[in-house]
Amino acid sequence: MSQEKTRLVIKSGNIFDSVNGILKENQTIIIQGKRILWCDEDDAFEKDLNDKIIDVNGKTIIPGMIDCHVHLENTAEPDYERKYLRTTKTMWHYYALQNAQKHLINGYTCIRDCGSLPEWGPSLRRIFDIGALAGPRILIANLPITQWGNQEEIGPVEVIEYYGKLSEVKAGIDGIRHAVRDRKRSGSDFIKTVTTGGVLHGITSKVDTSLFLNEELLAMTEEAHRLEMHVASHAHGREGIYKAVQANVDTIEHGTLIDEEIIDLMIKKQTFLIPTQAACFGISKPDILKQLPPEVATKIKQIQEQMISNHKIAFEKGVLFAIGTDAGTPGNPHGTTTNEIINMIENVGMTTSQALQAATIQGAKAIKMEEQIGSIEKDKLADLVVCNGNPIEEISILKDPKNLLYVIKDGKIMAKKGKITYFN
Ligand SMILES: [Zn+2]
């Protein structure tokens, strides 16, 4: 019997039904190949002679979780800029591999990389997709489409020229359309753009500056959607969030200075908010902040004061939320995404069940993959996590990978109790 025909049976566990936000007891899942062949009450399970059965009685099975915003090549160290100058570029590829596996062993079977060098992203995605190495499924943006002129470039002229050539986007509708097609050509799954400055983007980059014209943003989303890519926009300040939502981007990243008018528009357009509070808290840690350039402290103060209350209002009014960490930014290491689930419970007012939905089915919807992943249902890809105890009652269980007995992706057991066990 070939391995494809052997069924993997996860028997008699309690499943978190992410669509309805409830726990269903005594359920069995049959996996064949990459997909869920059958999933129902344990009593109705019919055994096949060659089944490989794992009894998970008393354990909880949750859908593989999704982090919608990471930067795999970034290591979360505060001296990352110096490291770029003192490390061979190939090292970043291996950091990306290591960081992706950190997400996997912590139960995150899908991650969306929101901007990186195109040299490694599509290759790493494929290595994981074909099962050559253990890793999560990755959605790749490659280089973001940035606001050209948002920041003064400081550094050795060779570095400025290198990044200039790599990331230049010509102004105007044609320039934007070309940039979108260029990302498609280099293997992007989606477009990452920025419609405001950023905290780490340099001295002159202001979090409330928005440079793109409305017509440019509309051209970007129109072209991306036509090429079956969604659009994620980094946006802190009001104007940049508003312009992005109005131009039909699919997800707003950060959304720190969101207001009621934008909230109403996001609800109307069903735009997702990926709050990435973990990034803000990571940078704010005193031992991290003191190692970063001085303007970062000023900017983080500007956004942090209002971030929590703004996100809370957005959630209470009905904006769609998904989990994303911005992992890789200083003080915000890969593999700690569950802290962001806890941020949503403590700071935004989600119930544990709602926060787990944000990390599963809502994440899948945000990245347009809800027909494939995000819930444990017949015909979906078999991405799931078997854990000790009941995370709905005690979410902190998920923080310790030793509690994750099996992390399964594409129907293959990839990790057990925090260790990779899959080797092709
Ligand atoms: Zn980011």
Side-chain angles (χ1 to χ4, degrees):
M1 179 119 340
S2 78
Q3 234 185 340
E4 277 289 292
K5 294 250 170 76
T6 308
R7 310 187 313 176
L8 176 63
V9 178
I10 310 295
K11 195 173 179 308
S12 316
N14 305 322
I15 287 182
F16 176 62
D17 170 356
S18 57
V19 176
N20 299 301
I22 53 167
L23 203 67
K24 292 201 288 194
E25 292 187 353
N26 220 21
Q27 302 282 307
T28 288
I29 303 163
I30 304 174
I31 298 165
Q32 187 159 41
K34 290 185 173 189
R35 292 189 184 268
I36 296 169
L37 184 70
W38 184 88
C39 174
D40 210 329
E41 302 266 331
D42 187 48
D43 291 346
F45 166 60
E46 287 178 27
K47 190 179 176 314
D48 197 272
L49 197 62
N50 293 296
D51 283 346
K52 181 186 173 189
I53 298 179
I54 300 174
D55 197 311
V56 296
N57 190 14
K59 314 296 181 198
T60 306
I61 311 165
I62 61 173
M65 295 181 282
I66 301 163
D67 188 328
C68 296
H69 191 135
V70 305
H71 296 281
L72 284 181
E73 69 196 14
N74 296 355
T75 58
E77 293 160 301
D79 58 347
Y80 67 102
E81 281 172 332
R82 195 180 65 189
K83 285 239 163 72
Y84 282 170
L85 296 175
R86 296 179 66 92
T87 315
T88 65
K89 236 171 40 172
T90 318
M91 283 275 282
W92 309 353
H93 305 195
Y94 294 108
Y95 280 132
L97 166 64
Q98 184 199 33
N99 290 331
Q101 291 187 331
K102 285 182 188 169
H103 286 281
L104 180 76
I105 63 170
N106 281 282
Y108 292 80
T109 52
C110 180
I111 51 182
R112 186 177 66 155
D113 189 284
C114 282
S116 58
L117 287 175
E119 293 156 5
W120 59 262
S123 315
L124 193 63
R125 177 182 62 197
R126 186 141 180 245
I127 283 287
F128 293 154
D129 280 350
I130 62 176
L133 290 173
R137 58 186 82 257
I138 313 178
L139 272 70
I140 303 288
N142 290 320
L143 292 167
I145 299 180
T146 54
Q147 309 187 115
W148 193 251
N150 174 244
Q151 65 200 61
E152 58 180 335
E153 300 283 346
I154 298 167
V157 69
E158 290 80 4
V159 176
I160 293 171
E161 279 178 5
Y162 166 71
Y163 281 110
K165 273 189 200 142
L166 197 67
S167 60
E168 183 180 9
V169 175
K170 298 264 190 275
I173 289 174
D174 286 349
I176 297 289
R177 280 193 197 281
H178 177 79
V180 172
R181 290 182 196 176
D182 195 53
R183 271 50 178 184
K184 182 76 178 173
R185 174 175 162 266
S186 64
S188 302
D189 297 296
F190 71 103
I191 295 296
K192 164 77 185 299
T193 190
V194 298
T195 49
T196 71
V199 175
L200 298 167
H201 295 189
I203 299 170
T204 56
S205 174
K206 303 276 186 288
V207 293
D208 43 18
T209 302
S210 188
L211 293 184
F212 280 126
L213 301 173
N214 293 337
E215 67 207 45
E216 289 172 321
L217 286 171
L218 267 172
M220 189 189 306
T221 56
E222 199 180 275
E223 193 67 9
H225 291 156
R226 196 174 68 78
L227 298 175
E228 297 181 335
M229 297 188 286
H230 66 273
V231 181
S233 183
H234 153 113
H236 286 294
R238 194 206 167 273
E239 191 194 347
I241 311 175
Y242 186 75
K243 276 162 79 171
V245 177
Q246 216 180 20
N248 305 320
V249 307
D250 303 277
T251 64
I252 291 291
E253 313 299 307
H254 322 305
T256 39
L257 303 177
I258 191 170
D259 69 4
E260 302 243 354
E261 189 187 359
I262 304 175
I263 288 171
D264 289 342
L265 192 61
M266 285 180 77
I267 294 168
K268 191 170 147 223
K269 290 187 176 251
Q270 297 284 284
T271 318
F272 269 86
L273 178 64
I274 319 285
T276 68
Q277 290 189 355
C280 196
F281 297 141
I283 292 169
S284 311
K285 289 174 197 160
D287 61 319
I288 300 288
L289 199 54
K290 74 176 184 212
Q291 296 179 68
L292 291 167
E295 77 274 8
V296 174
T298 317
K299 290 202 268 186
I300 204 78
K301 195 163 175 281
Q302 191 188 348
I303 63 166
Q304 196 177 18
E305 278 173 5
Q306 296 167 60
M307 175 185 78
I308 292 176
S309 60
N310 288 352
H311 287 166
K312 197 165 191 291
I313 294 167
F315 181 68
E316 281 166 1
K317 288 199 81 177
V319 171
L320 300 168
F321 274 56
I323 297 292
T325 51
D326 218 353
T329 50
N332 182 19
H334 294 274
T336 62
T337 304
T338 298
N339 288 334
E340 181 71 2
I341 297 183
I342 295 169
N343 289 340
M344 294 300 102
I345 297 166
E346 291 179 352
N347 301 336
V348 173
M350 288 187 191
T351 63
T352 310
S353 179
Q354 285 170 331
L356 257 187
Q357 286 178 302
T360 52
I361 189 66
Q362 294 302 93
K365 285 179 183 167
I367 63 173
K368 313 287 180 198
M369 285 201 71
E370 72 270 26
E371 283 174 19
Q372 301 290 331
I373 57 172
S375 61
I376 300 172
E377 292 180 271
K378 185 180 175 319
D379 296 330
K380 280 200 171 181
L381 289 165
D383 289 7
L384 43 101
V385 180
V386 180
C387 65
N388 277 325
N390 180 355
I392 309 289
E393 281 170 4
E394 198 189 336
I395 190 71
S396 62
I397 287 172
L398 298 177
K399 277 180 77 169
D400 184 354
K402 288 197 183 72
N403 288 322
L404 311 182
L405 306 176
Y406 300 96
V407 177
I408 297 172
K409 191 210 80 183
D410 273 339
K412 297 186 180 82
I413 298 170
M414 295 264 148
K416 294 179 192 171
K417 298 183 183 176
K419 295 248 187 298
I420 301 273
T421 55
Y422 172 86
F423 296 96
N424 190 20

